[in-house]
Amino acid sequence: MASLLQGRLPVNQDLLLMQKGTLMRKVRSKSWKKLRYFRLQDDGMTVWHARQAGGRAKPSFSISDVDTVREGHESELLRNLAEELPLEQGFTIVFHGRRSNLDLVANSVEEAQIWMQGLQLLVDFVTSMDQQERLDQWLSDWFQHGDKNQDGRMTFGEVQRLLHLMNVEMDQDHAFQLFQRADASQSGTLEGEEFVEFYKSLTQRPEVQELFEKFSSDGQKLTLLEFVDFLQEEQKEGERASDLALELIDCYEPSDSGKLRHVLSMDGFLSYLYSKDGDIFNPTCLPIYQDMTQPLNQYYISSSHNTYLVGDQLCGQSSVEGYIRALKRGCRCVEVDIWDGPSGEPIVYHGHTLTSRIPFKDVVAAIGQYAFQTSDYPVILSLENHCSWEQQEIIARHLTEILGNQLLSTTLDGHLPTQLPSPEELRRKILVKGKKLKTLEEDLEEEEEEPESELEEAELQLEAQMESEPQELSPRSKDKKKKSKPILCPSLSALVVYLKAVTFYSFTHSREHYRFYETSSFSEAKAKSLIKEAGNEFVLHNTWQLSRVYPSGLRTDSSNYNPQEFWNAGCQMVALNMQTAGLEMDLCDGLFRQNAGSGYVLKPDFLRDAQSSFHPERPISPFKAQTLLIQVISGQQLPKVDKTKEESIVDPLVRVEIFGVRPDTSRQETSYVENNGFNPYWGQTLCFRVLVPELALLRFVVKDYDWKSRNDFIGQYTLPWNCMQQGSIPYPDLGLHFRTNSGSKADCN
């Protein structure tokens, strides 16, 4: 079966040449460089590879998996092999998610350009696909999986195999009936549109049809008034339902006559439900919707710990890719550990460990290039400086020369501020957080008094050093005698403006001795202890000063703590090991999914009020508790947990979790549906009562029930409570259909 997108794909000479195939060198490391034959399939959407032309091919990647294509000189690995492999013939395919990059080297510059341009053309095409085109491509992918002998048609035996691949446990007689019904040509096989009809018969959604017919008088369409009723009663749209109904019909009704008559067909209804407008994530939270003119300390800031690491903390690889990936996912505070390197060039790595090392200037160049590709709001460089005076001067020079106008090296207006600037004022600026010799007031004096002698200058520097942020020792170095730290270089000190790092002693000490532009870092253990012992004081501290929390040095596997308890106390920079997937990063992604993924989220009012009485461990009135009712209706096309076992079919269940203040943190789950990952139905209602909804995150998790061991993870989706849309909500990315209702008057009984 040719791709259902055939005829809509761009016609391009590069693509035609890619479909003929090209022998290229696949590069994994300095020692692993092997020739492979890559070919774009006829569907224009998948690339296969083989050891040689005409050899046994297997899938390499789908175009929908590709994020972007980079030139060879942008690849850290290919740059390290520049003497052996010509950079101009190389390129890198960067994938969505956590999949490793694919570095390839062609036999000529022309061949490399053909693949770079062709792939980028297809990536742009996939990005611009509408919903129907995405469905068509999805069907083509399944047909490719099921058509084992690749003859363009499917026998019933191949259909049975496909059903197992699609997670469907179906009676053989019923499956054969659906097959015969779809086989309009009576050829004993399914081709093209016949397969589409077979798919439609598999994916009938009685619960959606029932919902449609509840509001439709004739069961065929929704009139404008009927659709308004649906939006008001089911989707809780209120007064704007009338205007919204016209907009949605115009957007999602496929027939021109339906648009003219202001009616919505079943196909249009489905298109709306599975669109962003029908998503559980409220579309009003997608753009920048918060006030971005408040001082920097009034926001949660997406933050990374040891950003250079892409593996563990002891032997893992250090890479500029860690910075690129963090910045592209919206991270706004990255960490740079800098040490003296060879040939006078500072290096970045996790000190006193076996992690690999990268040049500091490469890190700065990557930050300069990618800092504002995802968000225009400021990036904070959290410098951990372990360098000698001489190499500190090199650090300052690289920051100044490479970042240029992006680097903030003085106050915005040259005058002494009374509060931190806002994200809006700091758009497209990079700020240095680190140690500083003087106060900001001294820096801004028109006539600075020079030290009378070298001894006085050294004393000033040592005094500033004692005030600076303490470094957490790794497990290897805790038993070693702590060495004296190098004296801070004035040129590097001068680049620290609004984010001077200082040691935290107590909240009283901070109030009496520190200024608003000084910031302290807390280990997770210290921050937890402070929240328990003096939660309200911590909240008040965070109303006027920035705090950074970082993982324990004992987390050598790059695991993460739960960031929620630190957000509850108003801590702004809660740094995580972003290379490690799991619950903790799900919460981080969920919180920062809002506000255009800008990396800045405005804290709730009670965490910004200098007179706040809020205690994260003991939240009390005046918070208005709310009740959330979630009916988990059905699922569709859930992926297999183990794709290597064709016969295995999942037994899915859904768990709904609430994360927030301690009394609000809870979870409930449905029963499991046996042997059905294709269209499971639950129809179960879960109820939660939440005391502080402003801090709550919702996490939906799909698991494969296993009575012998822990349930296997299938997928999850996390979002802030305040961005949850009410009503009948399918969530296609997770394959689920919900009905949600929340409010102070909702009842669990």
PDB file of all heavy atoms in Angstrom, residues 200-219:
ATOM      1  N   LYS A 200     -11.448   1.598  10.247  1.00  0.00           N
ATOM      2  CA  LYS A 200     -12.617   2.302  10.787  1.00  0.00           C
ATOM      3  C   LYS A 200     -13.525   1.368  11.569  1.00  0.00           C
ATOM      4  O   LYS A 200     -14.093   1.740  12.602  1.00  0.00           O
ATOM      5  CB  LYS A 200     -13.387   2.980   9.661  1.00  0.00           C
ATOM      6  CG  LYS A 200     -12.712   4.229   9.113  1.00  0.00           C
ATOM      7  CD  LYS A 200     -13.569   4.883   8.039  1.00  0.00           C
ATOM      8  CE  LYS A 200     -12.933   6.180   7.544  1.00  0.00           C
ATOM      9  NZ  LYS A 200     -13.722   6.809   6.457  1.00  0.00           N
ATOM     10  N   SER A 201     -13.684   0.134  11.063  1.00  0.00           N
ATOM     11  CA  SER A 201     -14.555  -0.823  11.764  1.00  0.00           C
ATOM     12  C   SER A 201     -13.944  -1.223  13.111  1.00  0.00           C
ATOM     13  O   SER A 201     -14.662  -1.527  14.061  1.00  0.00           O
ATOM     14  CB  SER A 201     -14.788  -2.067  10.902  1.00  0.00           C
ATOM     15  OG  SER A 201     -13.576  -2.784  10.708  1.00  0.00           O
ATOM     16  N   LEU A 202     -12.604  -1.204  13.174  1.00  0.00           N
ATOM     17  CA  LEU A 202     -11.931  -1.524  14.430  1.00  0.00           C
ATOM     18  C   LEU A 202     -12.069  -0.407  15.456  1.00  0.00           C
ATOM     19  O   LEU A 202     -12.093  -0.647  16.658  1.00  0.00           O
ATOM     20  CB  LEU A 202     -10.434  -1.775  14.186  1.00  0.00           C
ATOM     21  CG  LEU A 202      -9.999  -3.097  13.562  1.00  0.00           C
ATOM     22  CD1 LEU A 202      -8.493  -3.063  13.339  1.00  0.00           C
ATOM     23  CD2 LEU A 202     -10.365  -4.274  14.449  1.00  0.00           C
ATOM     24  N   THR A 203     -12.120   0.821  14.967  1.00  0.00           N
ATOM     25  CA  THR A 203     -11.993   1.983  15.857  1.00  0.00           C
ATOM     26  C   THR A 203     -13.313   2.693  16.129  1.00  0.00           C
ATOM     27  O   THR A 203     -13.309   3.844  16.538  1.00  0.00           O
ATOM     28  CB  THR A 203     -10.997   2.996  15.264  1.00  0.00           C
ATOM     29  OG1 THR A 203     -11.417   3.347  13.934  1.00  0.00           O
ATOM     30  CG2 THR A 203      -9.598   2.419  15.202  1.00  0.00           C
ATOM     31  N   GLN A 204     -14.425   2.026  15.885  1.00  0.00           N
ATOM     32  CA  GLN A 204     -15.707   2.646  16.245  1.00  0.00           C
ATOM     33  C   GLN A 204     -15.741   2.903  17.750  1.00  0.00           C
ATOM     34  O   GLN A 204     -15.370   2.047  18.541  1.00  0.00           O
ATOM     35  CB  GLN A 204     -16.866   1.735  15.838  1.00  0.00           C
ATOM     36  CG  GLN A 204     -17.093   1.703  14.334  1.00  0.00           C
ATOM     37  CD  GLN A 204     -18.269   0.811  13.973  1.00  0.00           C
ATOM     38  OE1 GLN A 204     -18.773   0.055  14.799  1.00  0.00           O
ATOM     39  NE2 GLN A 204     -18.707   0.894  12.728  1.00  0.00           N
ATOM     40  N   ARG A 205     -16.178   4.117  18.127  1.00  0.00           N
ATOM     41  CA  ARG A 205     -16.189   4.514  19.536  1.00  0.00           C
ATOM     42  C   ARG A 205     -17.630   4.695  20.002  1.00  0.00           C
ATOM     43  O   ARG A 205     -18.204   5.780  19.893  1.00  0.00           O
ATOM     44  CB  ARG A 205     -15.417   5.818  19.722  1.00  0.00           C
ATOM     45  CG  ARG A 205     -13.984   5.804  19.203  1.00  0.00           C
ATOM     46  CD  ARG A 205     -13.085   4.891  20.038  1.00  0.00           C
ATOM     47  NE  ARG A 205     -12.977   5.303  21.418  1.00  0.00           N
ATOM     48  CZ  ARG A 205     -12.080   6.169  21.864  1.00  0.00           C
ATOM     49  NH1 ARG A 205     -11.228   6.724  21.036  1.00  0.00           N
ATOM     50  NH2 ARG A 205     -12.024   6.484  23.146  1.00  0.00           N
ATOM     51  N   PRO A 206     -18.252   3.656  20.517  1.00  0.00           N
ATOM     52  CA  PRO A 206     -19.655   3.763  20.929  1.00  0.00           C
ATOM     53  C   PRO A 206     -19.891   4.843  21.979  1.00  0.00           C
ATOM     54  O   PRO A 206     -20.929   5.492  21.997  1.00  0.00           O
ATOM     55  CB  PRO A 206     -19.979   2.360  21.474  1.00  0.00           C
ATOM     56  CG  PRO A 206     -18.665   1.700  21.712  1.00  0.00           C
ATOM     57  CD  PRO A 206     -17.721   2.297  20.733  1.00  0.00           C
ATOM     58  N   GLU A 207     -18.894   5.064  22.877  1.00  0.00           N
ATOM     59  CA  GLU A 207     -19.076   6.073  23.924  1.00  0.00           C
ATOM     60  C   GLU A 207     -19.102   7.485  23.341  1.00  0.00           C
ATOM     61  O   GLU A 207     -19.812   8.368  23.841  1.00  0.00           O
ATOM     62  CB  GLU A 207     -17.988   5.941  24.998  1.00  0.00           C
ATOM     63  CG  GLU A 207     -16.584   6.301  24.571  1.00  0.00           C
ATOM     64  CD  GLU A 207     -15.854   5.169  23.867  1.00  0.00           C
ATOM     65  OE1 GLU A 207     -16.494   4.141  23.574  1.00  0.00           O
ATOM     66  OE2 GLU A 207     -14.645   5.319  23.623  1.00  0.00           O
ATOM     67  N   VAL A 208     -18.334   7.708  22.245  1.00  0.00           N
ATOM     68  CA  VAL A 208     -18.353   9.016  21.591  1.00  0.00           C
ATOM     69  C   VAL A 208     -19.647   9.178  20.798  1.00  0.00           C
ATOM     70  O   VAL A 208     -20.257  10.252  20.783  1.00  0.00           O
ATOM     71  CB  VAL A 208     -17.121   9.188  20.678  1.00  0.00           C
ATOM     72  CG1 VAL A 208     -17.181  10.532  19.954  1.00  0.00           C
ATOM     73  CG2 VAL A 208     -15.840   9.095  21.492  1.00  0.00           C
ATOM     74  N   GLN A 209     -20.071   8.102  20.134  1.00  0.00           N
ATOM     75  CA  GLN A 209     -21.327   8.134  19.390  1.00  0.00           C
ATOM     76  C   GLN A 209     -22.491   8.420  20.335  1.00  0.00           C
ATOM     77  O   GLN A 209     -23.400   9.206  20.023  1.00  0.00           O
ATOM     78  CB  GLN A 209     -21.542   6.789  18.679  1.00  0.00           C
ATOM     79  CG  GLN A 209     -22.777   6.735  17.793  1.00  0.00           C
ATOM     80  CD  GLN A 209     -22.644   7.569  16.538  1.00  0.00           C
ATOM     81  OE1 GLN A 209     -21.573   7.629  15.951  1.00  0.00           O
ATOM     82  NE2 GLN A 209     -23.734   8.215  16.124  1.00  0.00           N
ATOM     83  N   GLU A 210     -22.442   7.809  21.503  1.00  0.00           N
ATOM     84  CA  GLU A 210     -23.496   8.025  22.504  1.00  0.00           C
ATOM     85  C   GLU A 210     -23.525   9.484  22.951  1.00  0.00           C
ATOM     86  O   GLU A 210     -24.597  10.079  23.103  1.00  0.00           O
ATOM     87  CB  GLU A 210     -23.237   7.102  23.690  1.00  0.00           C
ATOM     88  CG  GLU A 210     -24.262   7.221  24.810  1.00  0.00           C
ATOM     89  CD  GLU A 210     -23.927   6.321  25.991  1.00  0.00           C
ATOM     90  OE1 GLU A 210     -23.228   5.316  25.792  1.00  0.00           O
ATOM     91  OE2 GLU A 210     -24.360   6.655  27.116  1.00  0.00           O
ATOM     92  N   LEU A 211     -22.358  10.071  23.158  1.00  0.00           N
ATOM     93  CA  LEU A 211     -22.268  11.474  23.552  1.00  0.00           C
ATOM     94  C   LEU A 211     -22.820  12.376  22.462  1.00  0.00           C
ATOM     95  O   LEU A 211     -23.556  13.338  22.734  1.00  0.00           O
ATOM     96  CB  LEU A 211     -20.808  11.830  23.845  1.00  0.00           C
ATOM     97  CG  LEU A 211     -20.512  13.256  24.302  1.00  0.00           C
ATOM     98  CD1 LEU A 211     -21.188  13.543  25.638  1.00  0.00           C
ATOM     99  CD2 LEU A 211     -19.001  13.474  24.418  1.00  0.00           C
ATOM    100  N   PHE A 212     -22.488  12.075  21.206  1.00  0.00           N
ATOM    101  CA  PHE A 212     -22.974  12.852  20.061  1.00  0.00           C
ATOM    102  C   PHE A 212     -24.502  12.791  19.981  1.00  0.00           C
ATOM    103  O   PHE A 212     -25.183  13.813  19.815  1.00  0.00           O
ATOM    104  CB  PHE A 212     -22.334  12.296  18.780  1.00  0.00           C
ATOM    105  CG  PHE A 212     -22.697  13.029  17.524  1.00  0.00           C
ATOM    106  CD1 PHE A 212     -22.047  14.210  17.170  1.00  0.00           C
ATOM    107  CD2 PHE A 212     -23.680  12.542  16.677  1.00  0.00           C
ATOM    108  CE1 PHE A 212     -22.373  14.884  16.007  1.00  0.00           C
ATOM    109  CE2 PHE A 212     -24.016  13.203  15.510  1.00  0.00           C
ATOM    110  CZ  PHE A 212     -23.354  14.386  15.174  1.00  0.00           C
ATOM    111  N   GLU A 213     -25.025  11.588  20.111  1.00  0.00           N
ATOM    112  CA  GLU A 213     -26.478  11.398  19.975  1.00  0.00           C
ATOM    113  C   GLU A 213     -27.245  11.994  21.156  1.00  0.00           C
ATOM    114  O   GLU A 213     -28.433  12.311  21.028  1.00  0.00           O
ATOM    115  CB  GLU A 213     -26.785   9.908  19.834  1.00  0.00           C
ATOM    116  CG  GLU A 213     -26.292   9.337  18.498  1.00  0.00           C
ATOM    117  CD  GLU A 213     -26.502   7.836  18.386  1.00  0.00           C
ATOM    118  OE1 GLU A 213     -26.924   7.223  19.406  1.00  0.00           O
ATOM    119  OE2 GLU A 213     -26.236   7.277  17.309  1.00  0.00           O
ATOM    120  N   LYS A 214     -26.587  12.158  22.287  1.00  0.00           N
ATOM    121  CA  LYS A 214     -27.239  12.775  23.448  1.00  0.00           C
ATOM    122  C   LYS A 214     -27.677  14.203  23.139  1.00  0.00           C
ATOM    123  O   LYS A 214     -28.702  14.675  23.642  1.00  0.00           O
ATOM    124  CB  LYS A 214     -26.270  12.751  24.636  1.00  0.00           C
ATOM    125  CG  LYS A 214     -26.785  13.453  25.880  1.00  0.00           C
ATOM    126  CD  LYS A 214     -25.743  13.441  26.994  1.00  0.00           C
ATOM    127  CE  LYS A 214     -26.195  14.255  28.199  1.00  0.00           C
ATOM    128  NZ  LYS A 214     -25.164  14.277  29.280  1.00  0.00           N
ATOM    129  N   PHE A 215     -26.915  14.901  22.297  1.00  0.00           N
ATOM    130  CA  PHE A 215     -27.222  16.294  21.979  1.00  0.00           C
ATOM    131  C   PHE A 215     -27.797  16.477  20.574  1.00  0.00           C
ATOM    132  O   PHE A 215     -28.325  17.539  20.262  1.00  0.00           O
ATOM    133  CB  PHE A 215     -25.951  17.146  22.128  1.00  0.00           C
ATOM    134  CG  PHE A 215     -25.501  17.310  23.543  1.00  0.00           C
ATOM    135  CD1 PHE A 215     -24.606  16.419  24.116  1.00  0.00           C
ATOM    136  CD2 PHE A 215     -25.995  18.344  24.336  1.00  0.00           C
ATOM    137  CE1 PHE A 215     -24.196  16.553  25.434  1.00  0.00           C
ATOM    138  CE2 PHE A 215     -25.592  18.489  25.655  1.00  0.00           C
ATOM    139  CZ  PHE A 215     -24.691  17.585  26.206  1.00  0.00           C
ATOM    140  N   SER A 216     -27.689  15.448  19.720  1.00  0.00           N
ATOM    141  CA  SER A 216     -28.191  15.550  18.345  1.00  0.00           C
ATOM    142  C   SER A 216     -29.608  15.006  18.257  1.00  0.00           C
ATOM    143  O   SER A 216     -29.874  13.872  18.665  1.00  0.00           O
ATOM    144  CB  SER A 216     -27.275  14.768  17.402  1.00  0.00           C
ATOM    145  OG  SER A 216     -27.843  14.662  16.120  1.00  0.00           O
ATOM    146  N   SER A 217     -30.526  15.803  17.699  1.00  0.00           N
ATOM    147  CA  SER A 217     -31.926  15.372  17.607  1.00  0.00           C
ATOM    148  C   SER A 217     -32.130  14.286  16.558  1.00  0.00           C
ATOM    149  O   SER A 217     -33.026  13.455  16.691  1.00  0.00           O
ATOM    150  CB  SER A 217     -32.829  16.570  17.279  1.00  0.00           C
ATOM    151  OG  SER A 217     -32.394  17.196  16.087  1.00  0.00           O
ATOM    152  N   ASP A 218     -31.286  14.290  15.497  1.00  0.00           N
ATOM    153  CA  ASP A 218     -31.464  13.279  14.452  1.00  0.00           C
ATOM    154  C   ASP A 218     -30.335  12.253  14.413  1.00  0.00           C
ATOM    155  O   ASP A 218     -30.345  11.332  13.581  1.00  0.00           O
ATOM    156  CB  ASP A 218     -31.595  13.939  13.075  1.00  0.00           C
ATOM    157  CG  ASP A 218     -30.353  14.715  12.667  1.00  0.00           C
ATOM    158  OD1 ASP A 218     -29.359  14.688  13.417  1.00  0.00           O
ATOM    159  OD2 ASP A 218     -30.378  15.345  11.590  1.00  0.00           O
ATOM    160  N   GLY A 219     -29.339  12.390  15.298  1.00  0.00           N
ATOM    161  CA  GLY A 219     -28.245  11.427  15.336  1.00  0.00           C
ATOM    162  C   GLY A 219     -27.261  11.559  14.195  1.00  0.00           C
ATOM    163  O   GLY A 219     -26.307  10.774  14.108  1.00  0.00           O
TER     164      GLY A 219
END
